[in-house]
Amino acid sequence: MKKIIGVLCAVALAASTLPAAAQDKDQQRLAERLESATLVIHEVMHTPDRGIPQSILAGAKCVVVVPKYKKGAFVIGAQYGQGVATCRTGRGWSAPVFVRLEGGSFGWQIGGQSTDLILVAMNDHGLEHMLASKFKLGGDAAATAGPVGRNAQAATDASMHAEFLTYSRSQGLFAGIDLDGTVLSQNADDTRTEYGANVSYNSVLHGDVPPPADATRFVHTVATYFVVARDNH
């Protein structure tokens, strides 16, 4: 009987530790995604003469970073990626939320099977779409390949009227890209893992929630480039 009780206690203990271990693993996965997104921004902004123009940095409403967006992640011809997003608020840049980008059948400009993507919401319409649960680029929201170059003239008709400017980085090269047909949606499960069940996607993007410890570097990096560039413009 003592052996049986001992076995039952061990099973109960193991069962109680499984959820905690799974939670720790999920938190680590999200922390790694935030770190990858931070590195993407740093590397893009240090690409010689090929970064995001200062006028776009100054006017951005939201920034979405999708590290290692993959072709054929599900089936042949499909694209899929997990990313993070932050929006400008009256108190600076918001804590990040987690998003998915999927679908579309665009040409891979540089020929890789994986590329880093940056999407920049340029006006209030783009911000409104970001606050929605799901929208299609080129359908629900006007999107165009963004201009590159620190001093590039960004005020073209396309970039003035686009709700989103889209960029890709692969093999060290950075360029605007056509993402028409891709769908951006919130990853409610990951956002819930990061903040808890009682915190909404919208409240995070509105700046009502402070950045958690694993997100502070990402938010600071966005603020460094997008706010300082605006102040110097």
Side-chain angles (χ1 to χ4, degrees):
M1 179 63 69
K2 289 182 179 180
K3 290 183 178 179
I4 294 174
I5 293 175
V7 169
L8 291 176
C9 290
V11 170
L13 179 62
S16 67
T17 59
L18 284 175
Q23 179 77 7
D24 289 344
K25 185 176 181 180
D26 287 341
Q27 291 283 3
Q28 179 62 30
R29 174 174 53 83
L30 299 182
E32 290 172 357
R33 191 180 308 159
L34 285 160
E35 181 63 19
S36 294
T38 301
L39 292 175
V40 168
I41 295 175
H42 275 303
E43 290 170 1
V44 164
M45 298 310 298
H46 286 89
T47 304
D49 300 323
R50 298 292 292 176
I52 300 173
Q54 290 186 0
S55 56
I56 292 173
L57 297 172
K61 297 287 186 178
C62 302
V63 178
V64 182
V65 184
V66 183
K68 296 181 174 59
Y69 188 70
K70 291 181 173 59
K71 180 178 181 180
F74 290 145
V75 294
I76 299 301
Q79 289 88 32
Y80 179 79
Q82 298 273 8
V84 295
T86 177
C87 290
R88 197 191 298 270
T89 75
R91 299 181 295 276
W93 287 89
S94 73
V97 294
F98 296 89
V99 297
R100 298 185 185 93
L101 189 67
E102 54 194 320
S105 182
F106 56 87
W108 291 79
Q109 293 182 345
I110 308 170
Q113 295 297 302
S114 176
T115 187
D116 301 318
L117 300 179
I118 297 178
L119 290 72
V120 183
M122 291 304 300
N123 52 40
D124 289 336
H125 293 297
L127 175 59
E128 290 168 7
H129 282 298
M130 280 299 307
L131 295 174
S133 61
K134 183 177 183 179
F135 65 92
K136 180 183 287 187
L137 293 167
D140 302 319
T144 189
V148 296
R150 294 293 187 274
N151 299 312
Q153 178 58 42
T156 63
D157 288 341
S159 60
M160 285 178 64
H161 295 96
E163 295 167 43
F164 285 87
L165 298 178
T166 55
Y167 296 92
S168 68
R169 188 186 74 91
S170 181
Q171 299 177 4
L173 300 178
F174 184 63
I177 191 171
D178 180 4
L179 292 179
D180 280 1
T182 56
V183 174
L184 184 70
S185 60
Q186 60 172 287
N187 188 327
D189 290 339
D190 284 353
T191 299
R192 190 179 303 115
T193 297
E194 183 77 359
Y195 297 101
N198 297 323
V199 176
S200 72
Y201 178 90
N202 281 17
S203 65
V204 177
L205 286 184
H206 275 125
D208 298 332
V209 180
D214 62 354
T216 53
R217 186 164 179 256
F218 171 75
V219 175
H220 176 73
T221 298
V222 172
T224 296
Y225 291 113
F226 284 74
V227 174
V228 170
R230 180 191 61 184
D231 291 341
N232 290 338
H233 182 61

